[in-house]
Amino acid sequence: MRNKIFMLILSMFFTGLVSAQVNNSGTLSGKLIDSATKQPMNLATVSVFKAADTVLVTYRLSIESGEFKVSGLPLDIDLRMIVSYSGYAVTRKEFKLTKDTPLFDAGTIIMTPNHANTLEEVLVYAERPPVVVKKDTIEFNAASFKTLPSALVEDLLKKLPGVQLDADGNITVNGKKVNRIMVDGKDFFGGDPKMATRNLPANLIDKVQVSDDKDELDLNPDKAKADVGQVINLKLKKAIKQGLFGKAYAGKADANRYEAGGIVNMFRDTLQVSVLGFSNNLNKAGFGFNDIRSLGGFDRSGINSISINGNGGLNVNGISFGGTGQGIQQSAGIGFNLNNEFKKGLTLNTQYFYGRTRNDITELENRQQFLGDTILTSRSNRSEVQYAKSHRLGFGLRWKIDTTSRMEFRPTLTVTNTNSDRLTNITTNSSVDGPLNASNNLQAVKGKDLGYGHTLSYFKNFKKKGRNLNLFNNISLNTTNTDQFNNVLNTFFPTGSNTIDQLRDQERANFSTSTNINYAEPLSKDLTWRLGYAMTFFENKDALATYNKDAGSGKYDQLNTILTNHLERTSWRNNISSGLNYRYKKLSVTATVNFLWLDLNNRYVSIGQKLDQHFNYIIPGANISWKEFNLSYNANVNPPGISDIQPVADNTNPLYINKGNPDLQPALSHGFNLNFFKNVTQKQLFISAYLGGNISNNGVVRSREIAANGVQTTMPVNADGIHNFYTNFYFNKQYKVNQTFSFQVGTGYNLNYTRNFLIINSKKSYVKNIDFGPFVRGGINWNDKIEWNISYNRGVNNAYYESSNFRDLKVERQNINTDLVIRVPKKFVWEMTLDHRYNSQTAPGVQKTVALLNAGLTYLFMKDDKAQLKFSVSDLLNQNRSVFRFSAENYITDRQVNILQRYFMLTFTYNIRSFGAAGKGAGGKVGGRQSLFFF
């Protein structure tokens, strides 16, 4: 009830504030017509300035009918309207709004072409429009979007219409992802968006230009326009020839918690260097994802694997930068990144990283399986310590051969060593027969991993427009050696107990190479023919040897032949494709046909068996794009993984044994996607919808046999009729009431439907799973001094079984997230985040409610606020738990893992901002969910 009253009061206050803002403002309207064609003019810029000092009040873009409406204008002030459009003469008109006449109709305005002068020559500097649309480029005048003195490019981009930044700093413009950011037309630290957005001060920027990514179009010429990424070019006020920026931080908390680190970036002409180091025991990355990602533009220097957990933990290509994995973690790392542009179009990137982590884990898992009238409950407690050390060396070479061709080569080398010691206690009980078994499982695991990979690509555009040739080659080599010692005591009720004491030695080597050639030939202005060939070769080795411990010598030297096998697989995959693409105005239609030859050769060395499989497929494909709609269809063939065909059982958990199946067939899947996105820039409205599906035959599912003593054995089998359909919808509307006050609202849903096949104790059933998650979001911003955001998410997961042998399941979840930032008085920043999760259905002993409340106060000092002193508290209520609940097959699982709880911390941060004569140094805009504990 208290929550409802609070929300009602807050809603009344919010509504009253908005109403007060609206009632004290006026509106300008009119219509724009081309003098030559007499057609209405779309996307012309209508700017309103204060007539006395030419300070921008606000602006709007005209809609397709040529009409415009500018609301939220101040009363009793002389105003000037400036109408601008690239290639047309500028129109000016002054007016004044009062409480008696709050509306001004400018009537029909005739726009006259003016090809003799550019738009900049016609306008005085102070009257430059906030937005100009030039064919395929949108240009924003940075000076028209006010930011705080300490603001970065990221803060500037957030104010631009149609530009959105998510929690990780990823950028979209009008619903399209931004692939890279350039500075004055050149790559800035590899073109990675976050390098510029999180490091360059906003007050250095003159213009922000947005256009389609031409490199992506070269790579995928038939790609739907809705799916083509964007490129942002930052035009600087003065050319930056050299600069130095970064940060250093150190913090101390109670209970011996600490953090420290530094990151320095230097660029001088064509040379760019970044160096970092960090250490902490706070269960988080030494740097945020955005800091690591921004080091030298990793997107263009070999990243192929990035993972982020809910606590902000980061893993890049297998190198942990802290906060990854489960439990409580200590992490440390060092690294450098270098970019250099040579003459004759050569660009080199070099990077090295070393990461070290330790995870202390305590986990409780409760799983309920429903078998007719019987409930089988398995409960496990795990204590584990994990260690990992990783090295990564990467290079990237890009050569722009001439204006029509370029080549790229990116090799990487990764070395990882892991160790873990864990103790797991498991009990299984039946609702009918009572206790079935108990297990005490002690394991020690040592692993070494060596990986190499490279990509080589060549792009060629010919003189004839639309004719191009692309070649790609990829190589991946990975070897993994794992020694796992298992010491297990199993007790079965009422029969007795047994023990296992063994060494499981597994060596895996995976090699793959693929070569793709694509050629495009325009047959006419609207019709293009595509021809492609792709060859892929795989070689996989899985050498598994299990040794029992000799009671006399104490050595693991007694080979267990039943649990030993050497498996080798080679595979050739050849694909020839041909297609036609037809384009007419906003319609694009592509039809393709693929001829696939798949050869699989499996050799079971230890048992002297060989199995060869040969498959031929004719696979169609299609893509249709029209305006904001895109529809595609494709088919694919996926052979089973090598672990699925390994016949030797994995008994490292003797109560849950996994076996492979050498008789598995490749899965054939048919997929489709229908998406729609609409961004109405003039109304700051964004709508997106997506519908996708996949139907598989010979899909891989795991059959399960449950013995009377509770031991479960699984094996993969093929099954037809595996379905998966997914749809989502998102609506977001931004309201800018006046210069200082804005708010936004959003809503949507995610819906996932799956139809899978279930086999348990030879009882079969299709299971239909529906997961529905609606959400609502909202937020306000008052002059960047008060920012408040809130979101509510609810989820319902239902499983329905066609057979009466299984019981229908239901899982519910809900959570509320909110954050508040207050930047008053000057030099102080107050901030708070609250994540509240609730689940009423958790198993006994598993926490139902989790309320994670973080708060902090930052004091800014020194010149340009370069120094920050912050006092923060994590998990103020001391309730934080890592709790999950999910359903799959015929069971519901509750999982609770230990996590770092309440601590108080004092941290000092110094921001380095040095850009020569180009501009004063500046720190980032302090405060907000992503900066609360990531400095």
Side-chain angles (χ1 to χ4, degrees):
M1 179 62 69
R2 288 197 302 267
N3 291 338
K4 291 182 178 179
I5 295 174
F6 171 74
M7 294 298 291
L8 178 61
I9 295 174
L10 189 62
S11 176
M12 294 173 63
F13 168 77
F14 180 67
T15 303
L17 182 61
V18 174
S19 300
Q21 298 280 354
V22 172
N23 292 335
N24 292 320
S25 61
T27 302
L28 164 70
S29 62
K31 184 174 182 179
L32 306 177
I33 298 293
D34 189 314
S35 62
T37 64
K38 307 302 180 183
Q39 296 296 313
M41 298 188 63
N42 184 28
L43 298 178
T45 307
V46 181
S47 310
V48 178
F49 298 86
K50 293 181 180 179
D53 51 14
T54 324
V55 173
L56 178 70
V57 176
T58 188
Y59 75 98
R60 291 293 186 274
L61 299 179
S62 61
I63 60 178
E64 292 184 3
S65 64
E67 297 176 335
F68 62 87
K69 184 177 181 181
V70 187
S71 57
L73 299 178
L75 304 178
D76 302 317
I77 296 177
D78 291 329
L79 301 173
R80 179 180 302 150
M81 175 187 71
I82 305 291
V83 182
S84 55
Y85 193 88
S86 182
Y88 287 75
V90 175
T91 298
R92 295 176 174 86
K93 184 175 291 188
E94 296 195 1
F95 62 99
K96 186 175 184 179
L97 301 173
T98 65
K99 185 174 292 186
D100 296 330
T101 57
L103 303 177
F104 176 71
D105 185 359
T108 300
I109 299 174
I110 307 300
M111 301 291 291
T112 305
N114 187 353
H115 301 295
N117 299 309
T118 66
L119 186 63
E120 286 79 3
E121 291 172 339
V122 175
L123 288 166
V124 298
Y125 182 85
E127 293 180 344
R128 286 168 53 189
V131 181
V132 176
V133 180
K134 299 179 178 180
K135 294 183 180 180
D136 59 348
T137 300
I138 303 175
E139 183 177 278
F140 300 95
N141 174 25
S144 300
F145 303 90
K146 301 300 180 183
T147 57
L148 297 177
S150 60
L152 298 178
V153 168
E154 181 179 69
D155 306 307
L156 171 63
L157 294 179
K158 288 179 180 179
K159 294 181 175 294
L160 305 183
V163 179
Q164 293 182 325
L165 284 84
D166 66 13
D168 295 319
N170 299 307
I171 310 169
T172 58
V173 179
N174 296 333
K176 299 181 181 181
K177 177 185 175 182
V178 172
N179 295 337
R180 53 199 171 100
I181 287 184
M182 308 180 79
V183 175
D184 282 339
K186 297 180 180 179
D187 277 353
F188 181 69
F189 277 78
D192 187 276
K194 299 173 187 64
M195 192 57 175
T197 60
R198 291 294 174 92
N199 291 282
L200 283 177
N203 57 18
L204 298 178
I205 308 303
D206 181 36
K207 298 177 183 178
V208 179
Q209 300 171 329
V210 182
S211 60
D212 288 337
D213 189 343
K214 294 181 179 179
D215 286 354
E216 185 177 0
L217 284 172
D218 289 342
L219 189 63
N220 304 282
D222 293 328
K223 197 168 188 177
K225 188 174 182 181
D227 297 329
V228 176
Q230 303 284 280
V231 174
I232 291 180
N233 181 42
L234 302 174
K235 297 283 290 183
L236 302 175
K237 294 179 179 178
K238 294 182 179 180
I240 299 178
K241 297 301 181 183
Q242 60 183 16
L244 182 71
F245 50 90
K247 63 183 174 183
Y249 66 90
K252 184 69 175 67
D254 57 329
N256 295 319
R257 300 292 171 187
Y258 73 93
E259 66 173 352
I263 178 172
V264 177
N265 310 274
M266 182 273 292
F267 62 102
R268 183 183 300 273
D269 298 326
T270 59
L271 178 65
Q272 306 165 346
V273 180
S274 304
V275 180
L276 69 81
F278 71 92
S279 179
N280 73 72
N281 60 357
L282 298 178
N283 245 50
K284 69 175 185 179
F287 296 90
F289 169 77
N290 307 290
D291 293 316
I292 303 298
R293 181 89 176 272
S294 66
L295 275 176
F298 288 167
D299 271 350
R300 296 178 173 267
S301 53
I303 277 193
N304 50 40
S305 173
I306 297 177
S307 62
I308 310 171
N309 66 20
N311 301 316
L314 172 64
N315 186 293
V316 180
N317 278 346
I319 305 297
S320 175
F321 285 91
T324 56
Q326 298 175 328
I328 298 176
Q329 185 181 84
Q330 302 177 34
S331 59
I334 57 173
F336 77 88
N337 191 85
L338 181 148
N339 283 282
N340 192 35
E341 292 185 13
F342 300 95
K343 296 180 179 180
K344 298 183 179 180
L346 282 175
T347 302
L348 175 67
N349 170 268
T350 306
Q351 60 183 253
Y352 166 77
F353 288 101
Y354 167 76
R356 175 171 55 85
T357 60
R358 168 180 169 154
N359 290 70
D360 293 85
I361 304 166
T362 302
E363 179 191 63
L364 167 64
E365 181 178 288
N366 191 89
R367 175 171 293 182
Q368 292 179 298
Q369 295 191 63
F370 301 91
L371 305 166
D373 296 330
T374 303
I375 301 177
L376 200 66
T377 302
S378 301
R379 196 173 183 90
S380 67
N381 289 276
R382 174 170 65 104
S383 298
E384 182 174 3
V385 180
Q386 298 176 347
Y387 300 89
K389 295 180 181 180
S390 304
H391 303 263
R392 181 178 184 275
L393 179 65
F395 297 91
L397 182 64
R398 179 168 178 162
W399 180 25
K400 188 174 181 181
I401 303 171
D402 52 40
T403 57
T404 64
S405 60
R406 70 180 190 274
M407 181 179 291
E408 295 182 16
F409 179 59
R410 298 184 212 161
T412 59
L413 178 67
T414 304
V415 180
T416 304
N417 293 284
T418 59
N419 291 277
S420 69
D421 295 287
R422 58 176 170 258
L423 173 63
T424 306
N425 296 305
I426 306 173
T427 60
T428 306
N429 291 273
S430 168
S431 60
V432 176
D433 301 319
L436 298 180
N437 59 53
S439 176
N440 187 325
N441 194 330
L442 180 63
Q443 297 180 347
V445 183
K446 296 181 180 180
K448 295 181 179 180
D449 184 274
L450 174 64
Y452 168 81
H454 79 234
T455 61
L456 176 65
S457 55
Y458 172 77
F459 306 86
K460 173 66 176 179
N461 291 317
F462 296 92
K463 291 183 179 180
K464 185 177 181 180
K465 185 178 180 181
R467 178 186 293 170
N468 57 69
L469 176 69
N470 301 326
L471 294 91
F472 307 92
N473 174 257
N474 296 278
I475 286 181
S476 175
L477 174 63
N478 180 267
T479 61
T480 303
N481 298 326
T482 304
D483 289 336
Q484 182 167 340
F485 298 87
N486 303 306
N487 191 328
V488 188
L489 171 62
N490 298 313
T491 303
F492 299 98
F493 304 103
T495 57
S497 61
N498 61 34
T499 61
I500 296 176
D501 196 352
Q502 66 184 25
L503 165 62
R504 180 182 170 92
D505 182 4
Q506 189 170 31
E507 298 182 5
R508 286 183 172 177
N510 300 303
F511 171 78
S512 68
T513 179
S514 62
T515 301
N516 298 67
I517 303 173
N518 298 294
Y519 175 76
E521 177 65 32
L523 304 179
S524 67
K525 180 181 178 181
D526 302 321
L527 191 64
T528 302
W529 173 56
R530 303 284 178 196
L531 180 65
Y533 169 72
M535 181 278 294
T536 303
F537 172 74
F538 292 95
E539 184 176 42
N540 309 106
K541 296 180 181 180
D542 186 6
L544 176 61
T546 302
Y547 299 90
N548 296 327
K549 186 177 182 179
D550 186 287
S553 65
K555 297 181 180 180
Y556 294 90
D557 55 8
Q558 305 297 309
L559 183 66
N560 187 328
T561 56
I562 298 176
L563 298 177
T564 297
N565 183 54
H566 184 97
L567 171 60
E568 295 181 357
R569 163 190 274 186
T570 58
S571 170
W572 287 93
R573 185 185 184 110
N574 291 275
N575 184 82
I576 296 177
S577 63
S578 180
L580 290 173
N581 172 254
Y582 173 75
R583 293 178 182 269
Y584 178 74
K585 294 183 178 180
K586 294 185 178 182
L587 175 66
S588 174
V589 180
T590 302
T592 60
V593 59
N594 297 271
F595 301 91
L596 174 63
W597 295 267
L598 177 62
D599 298 311
L600 300 173
N601 305 294
N602 302 319
R603 191 162 68 99
Y604 303 88
V605 179
S606 300
I607 57 179
Q609 291 185 1
K610 185 177 181 181
L611 176 63
D612 295 335
Q613 297 173 302
H614 307 280
F615 305 93
N616 300 318
Y617 301 92
I618 299 177
I619 302 175
N623 186 284
I624 302 174
S625 296
W626 180 67
K627 294 184 177 180
E628 292 86 10
F629 291 90
N630 184 71
L631 173 65
S632 64
Y633 161 79
N634 63 80
N636 200 7
V637 177
N638 297 300
I642 192 168
S643 60
D644 284 334
I645 63 173
Q646 174 64 271
V648 174
D650 181 353
N651 71 329
T652 51
N653 180 355
L655 302 184
Y656 199 93
I657 300 172
N658 291 307
K659 289 184 177 180
N661 181 2
D663 297 323
L664 286 177
Q665 302 290 306
L668 175 62
S669 61
H670 302 267
F672 75 92
N673 294 281
L674 173 64
N675 58 63
F676 166 84
F677 82 92
K678 181 72 173 180
N679 190 81
V680 186
T681 307
Q682 305 93 326
K683 298 183 179 181
Q684 295 181 312
L685 171 67
F686 176 71
I687 301 174
S688 71
Y690 176 86
L691 173 64
N694 191 284
I695 300 174
S696 296
N697 290 323
N698 277 338
V700 176
V701 300
R702 302 197 75 88
S703 67
R704 188 151 32 103
E705 294 291 330
I706 304 176
N709 61 4
V711 174
Q712 304 181 48
T713 303
T714 72
M715 185 177 71
V717 297
N718 290 118
D720 292 335
I722 308 300
H723 300 168
N724 181 276
F725 298 97
Y726 176 77
T727 176
N728 64 27
F729 171 79
Y730 179 58
F731 164 89
N732 188 76
K733 171 69 174 173
Q734 297 180 356
Y735 298 88
K736 186 173 182 180
V737 181
N738 55 35
Q739 281 184 285
T740 60
F741 182 75
S742 65
F743 67 96
Q744 63 175 335
V745 294
T747 187
Y749 70 84
N750 297 290
L751 176 63
N752 190 44
Y753 167 84
T754 60
R755 180 178 185 260
N756 216 329
F757 194 63
L758 186 65
I759 309 173
I760 298 179
N761 290 348
S762 300
K763 296 178 180 179
K764 303 177 180 180
S765 176
Y766 280 101
V767 54
K768 300 175 182 177
N769 192 288
I770 301 175
D771 191 297
F772 179 61
F775 60 87
V776 292
R777 299 169 183 169
I780 62 173
N781 184 312
W782 178 69
N783 205 31
D784 273 337
K785 297 185 183 301
I786 299 178
E787 295 181 33
W788 176 64
N789 299 285
I790 187 170
S791 66
Y792 173 76
N793 300 267
R794 184 175 179 85
V796 180
N797 185 287
N798 291 282
Y800 304 97
Y801 300 85
E802 295 183 358
S803 171
S804 59
N805 292 313
F806 304 98
R807 183 187 307 179
D808 292 347
L809 304 177
K810 183 177 182 179
V811 173
E812 296 184 4
R813 61 190 182 276
Q814 58 180 319
N815 63 286
I816 297 176
N817 303 296
T818 184
D819 60 85
L820 175 68
V821 180
I822 301 175
R823 298 184 178 90
V824 289
K826 191 176 181 180
K827 301 291 184 179
F828 286 91
V829 179
W830 309 77
E831 48 192 324
M832 178 275 294
T833 68
L834 174 64
D835 296 327
H836 184 276
R837 304 186 297 274
Y838 176 71
N839 192 320
S840 62
Q841 302 169 305
T842 56
V846 178
Q847 191 168 305
K848 292 179 171 60
T849 300
V850 175
L852 176 58
L853 176 63
N854 299 328
L857 171 62
T858 301
Y859 172 64
L860 304 125
F861 59 102
M862 298 183 67
K863 185 179 180 181
D864 298 318
D865 295 336
K866 289 183 178 180
Q868 303 168 16
L869 187 64
K870 181 168 190 173
F871 176 75
S872 59
V873 55
S874 174
D875 188 20
L876 180 61
L877 304 178
N878 207 32
Q879 291 188 8
N880 196 19
R881 295 288 189 281
S882 179
V883 179
F884 308 92
R885 182 178 176 88
F886 60 91
S887 66
E889 296 186 355
N890 69 319
Y891 56 79
I892 293 178
T893 300
D894 292 288
R895 183 175 296 155
Q896 179 174 291
V897 184
N898 66 319
I899 198 169
L900 191 63
Q901 293 184 296
R902 182 170 58 198
Y903 65 87
F904 298 86
M905 177 160 240
L906 186 66
T907 302
F908 172 76
T909 303
Y910 181 77
N911 291 285
I912 304 167
R913 297 287 187 267
S914 176
F915 293 94
K920 292 184 178 181
K925 185 178 77 171
V926 179
R929 178 174 289 267
Q930 295 306 307
S931 60
L932 185 57
F933 295 106
F934 294 91
F935 301 97

